[in-house]
Amino acid sequence: MEEKEKQTETEELVEKLVYKKKNIYESADGEEIKKIYDFAEGYMKFLDNSKTEREACEYSIKLAREAGFKEFKFGDKLKVGDKRYFVNRNKSVVVFSIGKNNLEKYGVKLLGAHIDSPRLDFKPNPVYEDSGFCFLKTHYYGGIKKYQWTTIPLAIHGTVVLGDGKVINVKVGEDESDPVFYINDLLPHLGQEQMRNSGNNIITGEQLNVVVGGLPYVDKKAKDKIKLNFLSILNKKYGITEADFMSAELCVVPAYKAREVGFDRAFISAYGHDDKSCSYPALQAVLNAKSSDTVIAMLVDKEEIGSEGVTGMKSRVYEDLLNEICDAFGARSHIVRAKSRCLSADVTSCFDPNFTSVYEKTNASIISCGTTINKYTGAGGKSGASDASAEFVGEIRKIFTDNNIMWQAGELGKVDVGGGGTIAKYVADLNIDTVDIGVPVISMHSPYELISKADLYSTYKAFSAFVK
Ligand code: MN
Ligand code: MN
């Protein structure tokens, strides 16, 4: 055989047998790049309007209504072709459209993502004055590196229920003309002992106190004048008193807006990519779906603290809603669930060339190589994992191949290094085949995370193909 012929034969064999990840930007033409960048624009708007689960819920409802979806409440009638959204306590929302296909035969197609993100919440009695400052004490929510939350501009978002039951919404720090808030850190000159601490104790939970004021109330005889002045500003602006913090959900979030990153703008930095980079594509996929199946996007709360409570994935409310849909068409819920499929839409860790030691590169998600399927999550020996079956992953894989979706398969990091979980196992508990899939994220759970626009769009295309 001629040497050249042999070479071509080998190339063909490699092409046929060897799996190779591809960078989406490398293979995309100008038209595809434009689609990727256009989708990112809508996403960045979503991010800036969705820093808390309440805001994400409200903004998702707005988008759903614009797409012609109408509110559904328990007890409402349903018919084929209905496009509806169900709101759970203003903190989670389920958007669905009823297809003509028989529910018991085809099941439903679910996309499940979460809209809460790691942050700082205020304690029930947060206000105190010390040495010229008025501070608010916080209690962090979700897994954070505490030191990352110092010396950055912070905003306060949330809801306060006053003594008379009146509900006040607060959002300060986002407008250019707004003040921001701040958490102190130690100067390096005096930080020698601090820097000898393990990272977890460089800043402690009790040091995450937010500066909210410094101007004293004008009355020489008053005690805690700065605190009093802060309370009087709050009272004038919102009618809030100190006791109202006890019935409030006020969150401290980074005051950053989503921005494009790089001269070529290939990436997006933002607070809350986990998990808005999956909830937005999931929402859009269902809003735009023209499926014969019943398709559902569940945007849930409390994933970051274990999916607990009435708004988390463990709540019965999501099963109840599914039961209502089944009842409306005389379908038996347990048979529908057995036939149903779910993509647990959550982010995964992205291989970071600056921190190679925690990754096993062959099984890490590489930036811009597409949405990642995590067949299983968990920690150590797959502890706490929801491990999707080969059959189900095979089914999803075929959908992606048929629809030209670029995707990758991965794990969070090295086997012995750590791990994590998502809502997948709680959906799987309902006897619904579920697999994790989502956008690879750099600096996950930090105040300013980074993703690739290509991976975001790949996720949207994957979800759209699934609910087609
Ligand atoms: Mn997540
Ligand atoms: Mn998370």
Side-chain angles (χ1 to χ4, degrees):
M1 202 186 285
E2 293 285 321
E3 202 177 316
K4 204 169 173 193
E5 246 175 77
K6 177 81 192 160
Q7 205 184 333
T8 324
E9 198 189 329
T10 312
E11 275 168 16
E12 279 171 4
L13 196 67
V14 168
E15 180 68 24
K16 188 179 160 197
L17 296 183
V18 181
Y19 170 72
K20 201 175 169 290
K21 257 179 214 188
K22 290 190 189 92
N23 184 303
I24 292 177
Y25 284 133
E26 210 175 299
S27 50
D29 57 16
E31 200 185 323
E32 184 72 2
I33 299 266
K34 187 176 180 313
K35 281 186 195 161
I36 292 171
Y37 277 53
D38 285 351
F39 189 78
E41 240 173 75
Y43 171 57
M44 288 167 71
K45 221 170 169 185
F46 181 82
L47 281 168
D48 291 340
N49 287 285
S50 304
K51 288 197 176 173
T52 63
E53 61 276 5
R54 283 176 189 272
E55 289 169 5
C57 182
E58 196 183 325
Y59 196 70
S60 301
I61 292 168
K62 177 177 148 8
L63 295 179
R65 292 175 70 96
E66 284 168 8
F69 284 62
K70 300 213 158 40
E71 184 164 13
F72 173 83
K73 292 199 163 113
F74 282 147
D76 284 359
K77 289 207 164 64
L78 282 173
K79 58 179 192 309
V80 170
D82 272 1
K83 293 172 178 296
R84 310 293 287 266
Y85 64 87
F86 173 83
V87 186
N88 179 16
R89 296 169 170 89
N90 301 323
K91 292 200 249 184
S92 78
V93 57
V94 181
V95 178
F96 60 97
S97 84
I98 306 288
K100 66 172 170 27
N101 280 349
N102 182 285
L103 284 170
E104 286 193 7
K105 200 167 163 199
Y106 294 92
V108 300
K109 285 174 172 167
L110 288 155
L111 293 165
H114 67 93
I115 48 176
D116 60 320
S117 299
R119 59 167 189 252
L120 311 176
D121 290 338
F122 288 131
K123 292 187 181 187
N125 299 296
V127 197
Y128 72 104
E129 175 178 335
D130 198 348
S131 314
F133 294 100
C134 182
F135 289 108
L136 295 183
K137 291 172 183 278
T138 67
H139 193 133
Y140 60 94
Y141 171 96
I144 61 164
K145 288 179 167 177
K146 288 170 286 216
Y147 66 83
Q148 291 181 331
W149 291 73
T150 65
T151 65
I152 61 170
L154 297 166
I156 297 173
H157 292 223
T159 297
V160 185
V161 179
L162 306 185
D164 62 3
K166 198 173 161 204
V167 178
I168 306 287
N169 288 315
V170 176
K171 185 170 169 181
V172 189
E174 296 296 342
D175 208 84
E176 282 304 313
S177 62
D178 280 352
V180 293
F181 307 95
Y182 188 84
I183 296 174
N184 304 349
D185 197 357
L186 200 51
L187 61 167
H189 316 65
L190 297 177
Q192 286 180 37
E193 200 187 309
Q194 179 198 30
M195 295 312 287
R196 274 195 295 273
N197 287 326
S198 69
N200 209 21
N201 293 314
I202 289 175
I203 294 291
T204 64
E206 298 305 335
Q207 285 171 326
L208 290 173
N209 301 314
V210 180
V211 173
V212 292
L215 211 61
Y217 186 76
V218 193
D219 179 349
K220 275 198 182 122
K221 278 176 278 171
K223 237 184 97 212
D224 284 345
K225 288 195 269 285
I226 299 173
K227 173 178 168 177
L228 190 61
N229 194 54
F230 160 75
L231 287 173
S232 95
I233 291 172
L234 224 57
N235 192 257
K236 263 185 219 134
K237 199 162 175 198
Y238 303 106
I240 295 173
T241 67
E242 188 174 10
D244 295 327
F245 280 100
M246 293 189 281
S247 52
E249 282 176 4
L250 290 169
C251 312
V252 179
V253 294
Y256 306 133
K257 297 237 180 315
R259 300 289 294 266
E260 296 171 296
V261 175
F263 284 108
D264 53 13
R265 300 166 189 264
F267 307 119
I268 305 167
S269 58
Y271 164 68
H273 282 316
D274 179 6
D275 185 30
K276 276 91 178 191
S277 65
C278 296
S279 36
Y280 181 73
L283 175 68
Q284 288 296 348
V286 168
L287 295 185
N288 299 327
K290 291 176 183 67
S291 182
S292 304
D293 287 318
T294 293
V295 299
I296 304 175
M298 303 183 290
L299 308 184
V300 304
D301 181 28
K302 295 290 180 282
E303 192 278 339
E304 294 296 355
I305 58 165
S307 298
E308 314 288 347
V310 280
T311 53
M313 192 63 229
K314 283 187 202 167
S315 165
R316 288 275 173 79
V317 70
Y318 307 103
E319 193 185 348
D320 289 344
L321 179 61
L322 205 53
N323 290 345
E324 285 251 340
I325 294 172
C326 294
D327 288 349
F329 299 95
R332 286 161 296 177
S333 163
H334 71 285
I335 296 175
V336 175
R337 281 188 276 112
K339 291 275 184 187
S340 295
R341 303 275 182 271
C342 176
L343 298 185
S344 162
D346 208 342
V347 298
T348 188
S349 79
C350 183
F351 178 79
D352 190 329
N354 295 302
F355 299 94
T356 55
S357 68
V358 298
Y359 295 97
E360 188 268 285
K361 199 171 179 181
T362 321
N363 285 287
S365 305
I366 308 294
I367 196 100
S368 303
C369 288
T371 196
T372 295
I373 286 191
N374 281 299
K375 184 173 176 296
Y376 48 83
T377 53
K382 299 194 181 179
S383 174
S386 170
D387 196 343
S389 71
E391 288 87 344
F392 183 49
V393 177
E395 191 185 317
I396 300 302
R397 183 181 159 201
K398 185 165 184 313
I399 293 174
F400 291 175
T401 308
D402 293 347
N403 289 278
N404 288 318
I405 311 293
M406 289 179 74
W407 63 284
Q408 47 187 330
E411 291 197 356
L412 212 58
K414 274 185 182 167
V415 177
D416 289 331
V417 167
T422 64
I423 64 160
K425 56 181 168 181
Y426 308 114
V427 183
D429 280 349
L430 298 171
N431 192 28
I432 296 173
D433 272 306
T434 304
V435 68
D436 279 302
I437 174 169
V439 175
V441 175
I442 293 279
S443 313
M444 197 198 289
H445 282 204
S446 76
Y448 214 45
E449 306 169 320
L450 184 131
I451 64 161
S452 162
K453 287 180 183 175
D455 296 331
L456 174 77
Y457 191 59
S458 148
T459 302
Y460 170 65
K461 288 212 316 190
F463 294 174
S464 299
F466 174 70
V467 298
K468 204 161 85 172

